[in-house]
Amino acid sequence: MTTFQAPKGTYDLIPPDSAKYLAVREAIAAPLRNSGYGYIETPGFENVELFARGVGESTDIVTKEMYAFETKGGDRLALRPEGTASVLRAALEANLHKSGNLPVKLWYSGSYYRYERPQKGRYRHFSQVGAEAIGAEDPALDAELIILADQAYRSLGLSDFRILLNSLGDKECRPVYRDALQGFLRGLDLDEDTRRRVDINPLRVLDDKRDSVQKQLVGAPLLRDYLCDGCKAYHEEVRELLTAAGVVFEDDEKLVRGLDYYTRTTFEFVHDGLGSQSAVGGGGRYDGLSEMIGGPALPSVGWALGVDRTVLALEAEGIELELPASTSVFAVPLGEEARRVLFGVVTRLRKAGVAADFSYGGKGLKGAMKSANRSGARYTVVAGERDLADGVVQLKDMESGEQAPVALDAVVEEIRAKLG
Ligand code: HAM
């Protein structure tokens, strides 16, 4: 029999490390919950057309990285490579935008799939926590989202990250810039693939990591010089709100992002301890996406933070999250009668909100105490026949090693009091 392994580019989250992932998701979600964002969950797959139209026909995500397939029923679906198109699709389908209460603010957490070349920080299955604010054009909303992401990272203790900020213009000024850029790029010495990119998505060429390309880009027209007055004023307001909030950012004219739906504000959070996969999160405004997928005009803004890379960033900064021990009390029964009684104690502890576990499988005292140690429990409750005859259990403080008898019917209260 062959044994199976996790598919290439994926990995399993297993205890104790998995607790870190939960804590990271929680830390990212907390500021969102606190700021009027409601939780949304959408399917892991969608009609493939949604991403082709939403994310963009010419993007790497759609052309190379999507897990697209045809079902037995003949539907063309794709595992979701990102969350924004799905969330907007769901909001439109549920008519959330017609509730008269815009923006619709939503947050989500889940698995995403991209058929990428795996390396550290880049996986084929990864997880994001994201937020979308749908249906309002207000620089304060862009600023709010960036501030909340900053707050989430700081609450985890991260400090070695930078916020890159740019404006991609709107449907008035970007086409003018695009033409100018195309004119410039067509005069360069580029390979065939890149020349094709110049035709389809010239802004992406600015993002090319190769030195040979970057060298030629010196003197390329800058979007900054083409922004219309409306976009300029909007961007300036976002910048001022961020500065007033004490959020430090860097202007990065070359920040383009790998998805086609962005307009105006775009940003990326990069961590300096992560090597080549340094983007821990990113987002921006997508004022045209709703119309691209058949909805009404709904200017919107959002971001998604990568959970996997955030965990790597914590490791890079040597941050150990203070995770509460998963078990506070471990029960060790000696004998049949004690097994029944202590199982009852554990059940009562759990009902009282105390995290408790039990020595299963009829282990002897030595083995059971080993399990108690491993569980990280602060207290162990041990009982044998003689204890039960006396109406007590032994309560052992695992930190001090001290042990004392406690009346059986008082043990739950006693432990609760001790744990504070
Ligand atoms: P994105 O920049 O493609 O944006 O992804 C956001 C984050 O997801 C990245 O910064 C990274 O941390 C993580 N990520 C992406 N791909 C991988 C991968 N292969 N392995 C590990 N982590 C990965 C979006 O997805 C947009 N939907 C963000 C957004 C929301 N824009 C507006 N609203």
Side-chain angles (χ1 to χ4, degrees):
M1 259 301 254
T2 47
T3 53
F4 293 104
Q5 291 181 331
K8 188 172 170 195
T10 73
Y11 63 105
D12 304 304
L13 300 184
I14 37 185
D17 278 356
S18 50
K20 269 196 273 187
Y21 286 76
L22 282 179
V24 164
R25 290 190 186 116
E26 195 47 50
I28 300 173
L32 298 169
R33 282 207 192 97
N34 200 30
S35 310
Y37 290 76
Y39 179 66
I40 183 168
E41 219 172 288
T42 64
F45 50 81
E46 296 274 353
N47 192 313
V48 70
E49 235 352 80
L50 174 71
F51 300 117
R53 274 203 256 156
V55 175
E57 299 275 11
S58 71
T59 56
D60 282 353
I61 293 182
V62 169
T63 56
K64 299 185 196 151
E65 298 169 4
M66 210 148 57
Y67 284 88
F69 55 98
E70 191 173 316
T71 65
K72 292 198 168 70
D75 294 328
R76 293 279 303 153
L77 303 176
L79 298 186
R80 57 184 182 188
E82 63 104 43
T84 310
S86 312
V87 167
L88 187 55
R89 192 271 307 142
L92 290 171
E93 190 173 334
N95 283 320
L96 297 186
H97 58 297
K98 291 187 184 155
S99 65
N101 190 22
L102 296 176
V104 176
K105 302 212 282 188
L106 301 165
W107 76 274
Y108 51 94
S109 173
S111 291
Y112 297 85
Y113 307 87
R114 295 183 193 174
Y115 189 75
E116 297 202 70
R117 199 165 43 76
Q119 65 179 85
K120 188 168 184 193
R122 186 162 72 194
Y123 310 105
R124 291 180 172 174
H125 163 259
F126 56 97
S127 96
Q128 292 183 342
V129 175
E132 313 291 348
I134 296 165
E137 192 181 67
D138 184 337
L141 202 50
D142 307 39
E144 165 177 291
L145 278 160
I146 296 172
I147 292 166
L148 293 176
D150 183 73
Q151 197 183 322
Y153 285 140
R154 300 218 177 267
S155 77
L156 285 164
L158 290 169
S159 58
D160 211 5
F161 65 89
R162 292 175 292 133
I163 302 172
L164 310 180
L165 184 69
N166 194 19
S167 172
L168 289 182
D170 63 10
K171 60 175 185 291
E172 304 303 321
C173 56
R174 190 159 46 180
V176 183
Y177 172 67
R178 198 185 130 106
D179 280 351
L181 183 63
Q182 265 172 341
F184 174 87
L185 295 173
R186 285 188 177 130
L188 304 184
D189 175 24
L190 300 168
D191 60 89
E192 199 180 321
D193 258 4
T194 314
R195 281 211 304 274
R196 204 170 309 126
R197 189 170 282 169
V198 170
D199 292 333
I200 303 168
N201 195 347
L203 271 74
R204 285 295 284 168
V205 179
L206 298 178
D207 223 15
D208 201 307
K209 301 278 183 290
R210 290 169 298 179
D211 265 354
S212 57
V213 177
Q214 280 301 328
K215 266 195 212 122
Q216 300 189 65
L217 291 177
V218 178
L222 292 174
L223 182 51
R224 189 181 50 192
D225 301 327
Y226 286 77
L227 288 185
C228 60
D229 288 345
C231 286
K232 259 191 219 153
Y234 193 96
H235 196 56
E236 204 36 53
E237 180 72 11
V238 174
R239 296 177 75 258
E240 278 171 24
L241 288 165
L242 290 176
T243 305
V247 171
V248 179
F249 58 88
E250 295 171 19
D251 294 305
D252 181 355
E253 281 123 42
K254 293 211 170 131
L255 180 70
V256 185
R257 312 263 308 126
L259 307 94
D260 276 355
Y261 48 61
Y262 291 112
T263 53
R264 291 194 166 173
T265 315
T266 45
F267 49 88
E268 220 156 71
F269 286 76
V270 293
H271 193 278
D272 289 325
L274 293 190
S276 65
Q277 303 306 311
S278 62
V280 285
R285 192 153 264 291
Y286 48 95
D287 293 341
L289 178 56
S290 175
E291 287 154 296
M292 271 146 61
I293 62 169
L298 281 174
S300 307
V301 57
W303 51 240
L305 309 188
V307 176
D308 311 76
R309 289 186 196 168
T310 303
V311 170
L312 291 174
L314 289 170
E315 283 162 13
E317 287 198 43
I319 297 169
E320 291 283 346
L321 296 179
E322 273 188 40
L323 302 172
S326 49
T327 302
S328 300
V329 180
F330 199 90
V332 174
L334 305 172
E336 258 319 287
E337 174 66 6
R339 196 171 69 91
R340 272 191 292 271
V341 172
L342 288 196
F343 190 70
V345 170
V346 163
T347 303
R348 279 189 283 140
L349 280 167
R350 289 173 177 165
K351 276 191 188 150
V354 175
D357 204 357
F358 187 74
S359 174
Y360 291 103
K363 290 191 194 79
L365 180 61
K366 212 167 137 201
M369 287 312 286
K370 220 186 215 168
S371 305
N373 266 321
R374 282 215 191 112
S375 77
R378 177 68 206 277
Y379 295 100
T380 307
V381 177
V382 189
E385 259 166 54
R386 197 167 331 133
D387 299 308
L388 296 180
D390 294 345
V392 300
V393 296
Q394 301 294 327
L395 186 60
K396 181 171 179 183
D397 183 328
M398 301 296 277
E399 259 172 38
S400 66
E402 277 164 33
Q403 182 172 315
V406 176
L408 178 59
D409 47 17
V411 70
V412 171
E413 267 321 302
E414 173 94 17
I415 288 173
R416 257 166 57 115
K418 279 184 188 289
L419 287 170

